Amino acid sequence: MRLSGRRLRGGLLGLLIGLASIAATISLSSEPAQAAPTSCRYSGGGPPFSLQSFEAHESRQTYLETLRLAAANRLFPGDEDFELPALSAGRLRSADASATIPPQILYAIAWVESKIAQAAYEVDWGTLGPPKLSFDCGYGIMQITSTIVNDGGLPSRYEALVGTHFAYNIAAGARILAEKWNEDYFPVVGESDPRYVESWYFALWAYNGWAWINHPGNPDYDPARRPYDCNADMSGYWDYPYQERVLGCVINPPVVGGQRLWEPHPVILPEVGRLTMPGGALDPDLFLQTVDQIRERMSLDLPANALAAEFSGGNFNPDRGALLGTPLLDGLPSELELSSSELSQRGAALTVANDGSGLLAWRVVSTPSWLVVGTQAGVALGSGYGFTNGPEHSVIPISAAAGGVPEGSHRGQIRLEFHYPDGSSETRSVAISLDKRGAAFYKAGRPQS
């Protein structure tokens, strides 16, 4: 995923920015993903956050149900970070709080971005592990990138939830797509009727990056190309602009375990050969040269035969309560006494247990200066997901800071913040004590002579 709701002016600016927002295809292949990046050049400049996430069942049913809820703003309404804004609809583009995103679009984005997986390749289905992280530091299912500031510190509430909990990650992606739809700079299709998948063409383009690489007239793409095949191998992935990959998956949903993940919906794609001719709405020269007339010159008519994507699916009515559960913090110690040997040999650990259901999201708010935590935010797995062997505790490794711990008595606290699906949160502190007398100086957890 890609750029947040920043206003981009001009095709050339979009070209430059888009170079930093190429889709994270490394994580889409059938091969293990590359090692996590050591720095996030395009989003903060620091190292990526050290996070723990959860991977649901291989069927993706849990994720599909969550995506459907996000499309209708039924995940976190009222949460300013994760609610879906009212969509600008109609000829006057008036805010319509009842308008929804066709769920097929979110399904397809999630597949193109991550093959609908929240955790890293090596994490088993139904277990905890590091989140999926692209080469440009995109996190999770929707590959959230530019709204994350990897500055080397501890993650904010938003950053922690996006990187650790699949539902917040999905909600963030839906919100960013809606912001692209609402942006008054990008072109529109027809009268901005969100019920039509075709209407989302430019918002999808902008979701990945308003960039030349996503222009349908880019000479790297065959102008007579057929719709993207969502079930093809990766060899043809780069033969299509981003928005056409997504729309191809709406037309031809992926098959997992012999079953289509969702029902196909017909989409009428723009006539690239005609529209990219000189003077056409998608004329490459127009995109590269025009600064202030993008909407006026590039907007398209809605195809006459387009079909509205009904928000249907038979009995497919996801239960938000079942998906998110009712997590309950259990047994967090009020204090933890460390020894010098723990810090020098293997470090210590703080355990977060969920005695309820679903996922208990947590993040570290602060630590003593002489300690570091190996995981900055995560989720503790409770009961309720029938495909897991849960509960599974979340373990926070604790070790000496890079400067080491000098001799003497040390006192401090680790503050943790816990987040619940109803929007509430609580903060707990764990007192940390260490008596280090007559021992060697420890640096980075190792004895030094």
Side-chain angles (χ1 to χ4, degrees):
M1 198 273 339
R2 316 298 68 187
L3 301 180
S4 64
R6 299 176 181 141
R7 177 168 300 183
L8 307 182
R9 292 297 179 189
L12 290 175
L13 176 60
L15 168 63
L16 295 174
I17 295 179
L19 293 176
S21 60
I22 297 172
T25 57
I26 293 174
S27 63
L28 300 182
S29 72
S30 58
E31 299 299 322
Q34 293 185 353
T38 57
S39 65
C40 301
R41 293 176 58 194
Y42 308 115
S43 54
F49 294 115
S50 176
L51 307 175
Q52 177 198 60
S53 195
F54 168 72
E55 190 71 282
H57 195 271
E58 186 177 7
S59 70
R60 275 61 166 204
Q61 183 70 12
T62 299
Y63 296 147
L64 291 172
E65 293 179 5
T66 307
L67 287 157
R68 186 174 179 82
L69 290 174
N73 195 28
R74 290 174 53 197
L75 272 180
F76 305 108
D79 187 317
E80 63 180 10
D81 287 329
F82 296 102
E83 68 179 351
L84 203 66
L87 298 179
S88 300
R91 181 174 298 176
L92 299 178
R93 289 181 59 82
S94 302
D96 184 353
S98 67
T100 60
I101 301 173
Q104 300 94 328
I105 290 178
L106 292 186
Y107 301 158
I109 290 175
W111 182 265
V112 168
E113 292 289 355
S114 67
K115 287 196 173 176
I116 317 184
Q118 172 68 16
Y121 177 87
E122 66 271 15
V123 179
D124 291 335
W125 303 104
T127 65
L128 302 179
K132 184 179 289 292
L133 187 65
S134 69
F135 71 92
D136 58 349
C137 295
Y139 291 84
I141 292 173
M142 306 299 276
Q143 289 292 273
I144 307 301
T145 307
S146 63
T147 53
I148 305 292
V149 181
N150 304 277
D151 60 1
L154 294 169
S156 66
R157 170 185 181 266
Y158 174 86
E159 292 164 335
L161 291 173
V162 163
T164 64
H165 197 303
F166 65 86
Y168 292 94
N169 186 280
I170 286 171
R175 179 180 176 86
I176 291 172
L177 179 65
E179 289 173 346
K180 299 304 182 184
W181 171 278
N182 286 343
E183 169 61 56
D184 64 7
Y185 172 67
F186 300 123
V188 298
V189 177
E191 295 188 358
S192 298
D193 189 336
R195 297 175 301 164
Y196 292 90
V197 172
E198 289 84 353
S199 297
W200 291 85
Y201 186 87
F202 294 108
L204 288 169
W205 179 344
Y207 182 89
N208 180 258
W210 188 248
W212 173 237
I213 195 172
N214 288 324
H215 195 291
N218 188 313
D220 288 342
Y221 310 132
D222 181 357
R225 58 190 176 272
R226 298 175 61 84
Y228 176 69
D229 183 355
C230 203
N231 289 291
D233 59 34
M234 290 296 297
S235 61
Y237 185 90
W238 288 110
D239 296 334
Y240 295 83
Y242 177 84
Q243 65 274 21
E244 289 188 21
R245 295 177 213 146
V246 173
L247 296 174
C249 291
V250 173
I251 297 169
N252 265 316
V255 174
V256 172
Q259 299 290 325
R260 283 188 311 211
L261 290 186
W262 60 85
E263 289 302 309
H265 179 79
V267 179
I268 302 173
L269 298 172
E271 298 178 36
V272 173
R274 178 178 64 85
L275 293 170
T276 56
M277 294 177 63
L282 299 179
D283 179 354
D285 287 340
L286 176 66
F287 175 79
L288 293 173
Q289 296 174 10
T290 300
V291 175
D292 295 322
Q293 297 177 317
I294 288 293
R295 169 163 291 184
E296 177 184 346
R297 299 290 299 278
M298 290 185 64
S299 292
L300 301 174
D301 293 331
L302 181 71
N305 297 326
L307 297 177
E310 296 184 13
F311 209 96
S312 60
N315 296 322
F316 187 36
N317 186 26
D319 183 341
R320 179 185 183 275
L323 284 171
L324 301 182
T326 308
L328 178 64
L329 177 62
D330 177 49
L332 187 73
S334 59
E335 57 184 278
L336 189 64
E337 187 173 338
L338 305 179
S339 67
S340 297
S341 61
E342 283 180 309
L343 291 184
S344 63
Q345 296 174 10
R346 57 181 173 80
L350 182 61
T351 299
V352 176
N354 178 5
D355 196 38
S357 57
L359 299 177
L360 173 60
W362 60 267
R363 71 180 178 108
V364 175
V365 177
S366 63
T367 65
S369 60
W370 42 276
L371 287 182
V372 295
V373 290
T375 304
Q376 298 169 317
V379 287
L381 173 62
S383 62
Y385 296 125
F387 50 80
T388 73
N389 294 320
E392 185 176 352
H393 300 336
S394 190
V395 178
I396 309 172
I398 303 171
S399 59
V405 181
E407 293 184 19
S409 249
H410 304 278
R411 300 290 182 270
Q413 64 178 9
I414 295 177
R415 293 180 62 240
L416 299 169
E417 190 173 71
F418 300 89
H419 302 279
Y420 301 94
D422 63 1
S424 64
S425 64
E426 65 173 319
T427 301
R428 296 282 190 92
S429 295
V430 179
I432 305 293
S433 62
L434 170 66
D435 285 329
K436 183 180 175 188
R437 299 170 183 169
F441 183 82
Y442 293 101
K443 183 175 182 181
R446 297 181 181 179
Q448 301 285 321
S449 58

